[in-house]
């Protein structure tokens, strides 16, 4: 019999022990993450009394896959649109907390005399609060519905995103071993470039691909395709110098904007749970009791650093973001722990070989202790606030409540300029990155290939034409977008001085586009610089006045916006989200609302033409939601069914009258429901019965007596199906169904 590979034996040991331990932790109502860590400690070589894992390297490979799928799932639950809708407040709080905790952690590490890289990574670990642990603590304490918990979750989402960026930056710092070098700036620019490039290209390509293949995608195929895209992006991420986890997160965030996002989340959940469990078990395997004893004092100090640091700096971060003192303290105290991302950052440091072996188990121990203390910290926030309120002067409390960096100004002209410049910056940045990517792609891959099959001059000419054609829609968008926007027109009309600055923005963008064209020409041809400059401006003018290029540019942008909004559109179609036009109705004293047709409604089965909603109530039915079907602009022949959700447009008074009438038009409860029981009874046709000689259809049994003949007994084992033309004769045995009173009336006749 073949020998079982050590990987299978190790996996069996891990999953069995993890299953038993997590059941115990579930019973104790503790986070499952701690159960996995404990299971890893039990199967590690540091526990000689139990069976231990034979091949730790294979398990580490599975753990790396677990990190990748964990971040892929995080990306699926993330949306760039959510971040944009959050506003400035969560961003201010997040940056303040992370910056403060990183400095604090770095400083504490230096006090212990640890190496600079240990201190740098320690600062990153202490800055990351645990989304999983906090979410569970809110759930256990019944605080998820409170306002401050929503604020905390917004900051945690941003922290998770910044943790991805931090991992890339720490990897760049580790490669140079000099945190103060210019590599940090380069790493940030590189992250921004590839993040925008991948996201924009992904939003163009991935939703379109899923839409085209939607009819072919069952659950199995969708799971394979999703994980394939995840792994492909992870490989691509490593090729450009990032981690596989970063690429997996980016692909998850792209898929989060598709219609299939929720289905993918459900399908990927078991895979994520399996590999995630292996990762957290691998975390526990690195815990050494001897190291914990040796570093007991640093562990205690780090725990106090997190508790006090988040209580002070965390509360301060929320305070300057615009929260009241009480809300800020509730938020800050809630974040006093570290969790899964701290482990991932520690794993990164170990894999790069830049941190000591002691740091990982120390961080795990700190995480376990702070996790157990999290509920107590949350409970302590209000008593601490009450204590401050009693002892601080009232003027201090008022000043702290008004301490914020996020107040917006009221200058209309300034707001118009801000809005216009932000839009121009966003357009220039995105289309500029796409243009750079196209140029790099053409020069790095296409040009060498074409030069192998053509002469150098011909190849340069062909590639030059293709490159200019490829970048021209994006360069035209840089030059022309927002030149006819409402902000541009308003600023042009309101002040003569604005016109010079507005013209300057156009000139700068034209020069930028001309620079792109000049670079392409200078790279491929050996003309004089003056000729290349003139040619660049001629091509720019052609781009500006080309109607075909204008249509192409607009078409690309509309496709991108459609793909970006596809998940929102799907939610609106199925009634999970309000349609966009609802907000515009508010200005006209009408709005959109929906009502469900009751199951016992008298209106069920009637058409809209029969119901005459517009004439009776003055409302208009815009849509009817029926299961997963949406009927937009229903016609007069559309019939209402019980359970339909009717979306109606009208004023408050009209909709109130409509809802009241809908709820009143129901069949009343039957006071004699006990008498409505249906029974089966045998009846023998006597000689003086009024039915003798009559056909069944003419007997009136159904019409006059509210009963139904279900069978005729003719001496057979089974009843004969009644024939409407059957003529009753004396002695016929008839089986009839009806209510008790109706049957008694039939028998007496």
């Amino acid at each position: 019999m073949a020998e079982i590979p050590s990987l299978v034996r190790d996996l069996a040991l891990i999953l069995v022990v993890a299953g038993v331990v997590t059941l115990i932790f579930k019973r104790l109502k503790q986070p499952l993450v701690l159960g996995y860590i404990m299971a890893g400690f039990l199967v590690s070589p540091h526990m000689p009394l139990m069976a231990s894992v034979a091949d730790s390297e294979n398990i580490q490979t599975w753990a790396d896959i677990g990190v990748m799928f964990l971040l892929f799932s995080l990306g699926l639950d993330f949306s760039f649109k959510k971040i944009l809708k959050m506003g400035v407040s969560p961003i201010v709080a997040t940056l303040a907390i992370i910056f403060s905790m990183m400095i604090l952690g770095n400083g504490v590490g230096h006090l212990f005399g640890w190496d600079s890289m240990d201190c740098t990574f320690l600062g990153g670990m202490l800055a990351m609060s645990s989304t999983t642990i906090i979410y569970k603590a809110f759930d256990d304490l019944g605080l998820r519905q409170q306002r401050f918990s929503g604020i905390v979750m917004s900051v945690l989402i941003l922290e998770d995103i910044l943790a991805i960026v931090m991992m890339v930056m720490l990897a760049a710092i580790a490669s140079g071993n000099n945190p103060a070098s210019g590599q940090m700036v380069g790493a940030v620019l590189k992250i921004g470039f590839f993040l925008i490039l991948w996201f924009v290209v992904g939003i163009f390509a991935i939703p379109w691909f899923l839409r085209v293949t939607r009819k072919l995608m069952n659950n199995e195929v969708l799971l394979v395709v999703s994980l394939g895209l995840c792994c492909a992006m992870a490989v691509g991420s490593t090729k450009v110098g990032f981690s596989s986890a970063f690429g997996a997160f980016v692909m998850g965030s792209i898929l989060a904007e598709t219609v299939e996002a929720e289905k993918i989340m459900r399908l990927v959940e078991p895979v994520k749970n399996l590999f995630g469990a292996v990762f957290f078990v691998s975390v526990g395997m690195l815990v050494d009791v001897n190291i914990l004893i040796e570093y007991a004092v640093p562990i205690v100090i780090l725990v106090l650093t997190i508790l006090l640091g988040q209580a002070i700096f965390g509360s301060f971060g929320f305070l300057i973001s615009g929260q009241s003192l009480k809300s800020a303290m509730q938020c800050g105290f809630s974040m006093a722990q570290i969790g899964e991302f701290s482990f991932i950052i520690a794993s990164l440091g170990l894999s790069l070989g830049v941190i000591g072996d002691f740091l990982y188990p120390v961080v795990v121990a700190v995480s376990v202790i702070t996790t157990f203390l999290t509920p107590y910290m949350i409970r302590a926030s209000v008593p601490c606030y009450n204590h401050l309120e009693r002892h601080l002067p009232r003027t201090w409390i008022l000043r702290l409540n008004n301490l914020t960096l996020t107040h917006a100004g009221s200058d209309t002209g300034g707001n118009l300029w801000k809005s216009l410049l932000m839009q121009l910056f966003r357009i220039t940045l995105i289309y500029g990155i796409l243009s750079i990517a196209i140029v790099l792609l053409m020069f790095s891959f296409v040009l060498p290939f074409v030069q192998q099959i053509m002469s150098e001059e011909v190849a340069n000419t062909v590639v030059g034409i293709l490159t200019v054609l490829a970048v021209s829609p994006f360069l035209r968008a840089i030059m022309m977008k927002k030149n006819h926007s409402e902000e541009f027109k308003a600023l042009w009309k309101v002040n003569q001085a604005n016109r010079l600055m507005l013209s300057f923005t156009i000139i700068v963008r034209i020069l930028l586009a001309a620079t792109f064209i000049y670079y392409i020409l200078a790279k491929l041809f050996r003309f004089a610089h003056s000729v290349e400059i003139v040619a660049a401006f001629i091509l720019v003018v052609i781009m500006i006045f080309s109607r075909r290029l204008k249509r192409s540019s607009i078409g690309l942008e509309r496709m991108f916006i459609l793909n970006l909004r596809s998940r929102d559109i799907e939610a609106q179609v199925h009634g999970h989200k309000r349609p966009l036009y609802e907000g515009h109705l508010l200005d006209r004293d009408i709005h959109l609302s929906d009502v469900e047709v009751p199951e016992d409604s008298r209106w069920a089965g009637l058409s809209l033409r029969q119901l005459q909603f517009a004439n009776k109530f003055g409302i208009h039915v815009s849509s009817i939601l029926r299961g997963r079907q949406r009927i937009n602009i229903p016609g007069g022949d559309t019939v209402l069914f019980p359970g339909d959700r009717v979306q109606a447009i009208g004023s408050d008074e009209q909709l109130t009258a409509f809802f009241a009438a809908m709820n009143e038009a129901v069949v009343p409860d039957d006071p004699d429901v006990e008498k409505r029981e249906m029974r089966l009874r045998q009846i023998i046709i006597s000689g003086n019965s009024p039915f003798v000689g009559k056909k069944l259809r003419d007997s009136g049994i159904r019409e006059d007596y509210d009963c139904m003949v279900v069978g005729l007994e003719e001496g057979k084992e089974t009843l004969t199906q009644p024939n409407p033309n059957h003529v009753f004769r004396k002695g016929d045995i008839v089986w009839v169904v009806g209510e008790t009173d109706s049957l008694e009336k039939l028998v007496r006749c």
Side-chain angles (χ1 to χ4, degrees), residues 487-516:
E487 295 90 346
F488 193 98
K489 293 178 181 178
L491 289 169
W492 187 273
K493 291 179 181 179
V494 74
N495 193 340
Q496 292 285 339
N498 288 339
R499 298 185 179 185
L500 179 62
M501 288 299 298
L502 292 171
S503 301
F504 178 73
T505 63
I506 297 175
I507 293 172
V508 169
R509 287 179 283 148
I510 291 175
L511 289 175
L512 179 62
T515 303
F516 270 100

Side-chain angles (χ1 to χ4, degrees), residues 719-732:
L719 297 178
T720 302
Q721 186 72 20
N723 189 329
N725 294 319
H726 173 78
V727 179
F728 287 113
R729 297 185 298 271
K730 178 183 177 181
D732 280 352

Side-chain angles (χ1 to χ4, degrees), residues 33 67 70-72 74-75 121 124-133 156-167 170 245-246 249 279-280 338-348 360 363 367:
V33 173
V67 173
L70 280 172
L71 294 182
F72 178 60
L74 175 65
F121 273 79
M125 297 175 206
L126 298 192
M128 294 293 108
S129 299
S130 171
T131 304
T132 304
I133 294 170
L156 289 172
I157 292 173
L158 289 172
E159 274 198 355
D160 291 343
I161 307 309
L162 290 178
I164 307 294
V165 178
M166 185 186 299
M167 289 170 59
L170 288 174
F246 180 72
F249 169 80
F279 166 69
F280 288 116
I338 58 175
E340 53 273 12
F341 260 113
S342 300
F343 306 148
I344 296 173
I345 292 173
S347 298
L348 175 66
Y360 205 126
V363 169
S367 173

